[in-house]
DNA sequence: GTTGATAATGAAAATCATTTTCAATAAGTA
DNA sequence: TACTTATTGAAAATGATTTTCATTATCAAC
């Protein structure tokens, strides 16, 4: 089953209907290599669906986030960008030039975070790690 | 020299004037153990300066951030909170209950981040690590 | 101290992103 | 095919932040 089919199946599972607008928005989000904000999704989706309203974009993206399919990504350029969530964990490496986002595997960072928390008398609940730099392509430019 | 004096000296250095409003805002920010948003700073500062305008809070906090004295802290409860920046680096441990923020020393995380970037063909520029959990005090409640 | 140039202030208006409202439309089940 | 009801898009409402502008206050020069 393709990712798109999985996403649409999840929507259906929650009693939500499959509409042309939702399919188009999902297409854009699944295709993008970088995190997008609602306005960007709106502009990109309107190329194929000119009558789309931005409210629909906001609503659809909110649903997808609640379903655990999209993840909010905080960046210097704004905290309203969303990226398709990869199963497992979510440490990101983001290109400061083109915005491309890549998930990376941690070298058991979790254990070290646990230790840091202990040292400070904290009971760890969550962590957040994000690296940024120039991706391979952008280094050559 | 006290921290407040250092801050005010930095303002003066940039040709900015020392006003009662700025002193009051700085007092609030230096005293707080947790990151505050402009509205919180406004409310707290108005206790001693009831005529303070919220625009002044926005402007002052923006200056302090540009001067490298305040740091923006991204949290589940919003991305518009600011914390006094500690010299050196800025990894935070934040209590999910009371919001208290503590800087912690990294166990040479930087080297590991560098390695991760290399593995993914990225040229590392920045990193962002933040842990959250229950602080000692809040665990007992 | 007084003066004067100008930075800072606060209120109101403007802006921008997001959410809510609501009547019209479309999805999908019966 | 008909019907229930979720979805849509436009407009209005909201909330946070920024800009504008006339008034006030700081502080350097005298």
């Amino acid at each position: 089953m393709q990712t798109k089919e999985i996403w649409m199946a999840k929507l259906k599972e929650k009693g939500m209907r499959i509409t042309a607008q939702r399919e188009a928005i999902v297409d854009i989000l699944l295709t993008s290599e970088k995190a997008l904000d609602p306005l960007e999704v709106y502009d990109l989706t309107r190329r194929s669906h000119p009558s789309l309203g931005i409210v629909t974009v906001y609503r659809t993206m909110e649903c997808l986030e609640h379903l655990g399919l999209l993840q909010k990504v905080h960046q210097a350029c704004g905290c309203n960008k969303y990226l398709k969530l990869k199963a497992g964990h979510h440490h990101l490496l983001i290109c400061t030039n083109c915005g491309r986002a890549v998930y990376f595997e941690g070298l058991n960072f979790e254990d070290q975070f646990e230790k840091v928390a202990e040292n400070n008398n904290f009971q760890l609940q969550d962590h957040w790690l994000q690296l940024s730099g120039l991706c391979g392509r952008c280094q050559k430019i």
Side-chain angles (χ1 to χ4, degrees), chain A residues 15-31:
Chain A
M16 298 174 63
R17 294 177 179 174
I18 306 306
T19 66
Q21 291 91 330
R22 283 180 178 163
E23 289 206 75
I25 291 168
V26 165
D27 282 339
I28 292 299
L29 288 166
L30 283 177
T31 305

Side-chain angles (χ1 to χ4, degrees), chain A residues 82-107:
Chain A
Y82 292 81
L83 186 72
K84 54 196 168 193
L85 186 50
K86 204 170 183 178
H89 215 35
H90 44 268
H91 295 149
L92 284 172
L93 189 47
I94 299 177
C95 180
T96 51
N97 184 245
C98 68
R100 198 151 62 96
V102 179
Y103 286 98
F104 67 83
E105 298 297 321
L107 323 158

Side-chain angles (χ1 to χ4, degrees), chain A residues 73-139:
Chain A
V73 176
H74 302 255
Q75 289 179 265
C77 61
C79 300
N80 58 345
K81 299 194 178 286
Y82 292 81
L83 186 72
K84 54 196 168 193
L85 186 50
K86 204 170 183 178
H89 215 35
H90 44 268
H91 295 149
L92 284 172
L93 189 47
I94 299 177
C95 180
T96 51
N97 184 245
C98 68
R100 198 151 62 96
V102 179
Y103 286 98
F104 67 83
E105 298 297 321
L107 323 158
N108 85 315
F109 283 124
E110 278 78 355
D111 291 348
Q112 300 174 60
F113 296 160
E114 198 61 69
K115 190 153 294 178
V116 166
E118 250 176 56
N119 291 345
N120 289 274
N121 199 24
F122 266 67
Q123 186 179 311
L124 192 64
Q125 290 174 333
D126 203 3
H127 61 267
W128 187 11
L129 172 59
Q130 196 170 289
L131 307 183
S132 57
L134 274 184
C135 75
R137 290 179 211 160
C138 292
Q139 284 171 45

Side-chain angles (χ1 to χ4, degrees), chain A residues 62 64 69 77:
Chain A
E62 191 191 4
L64 294 172
L69 300 172
C77 61

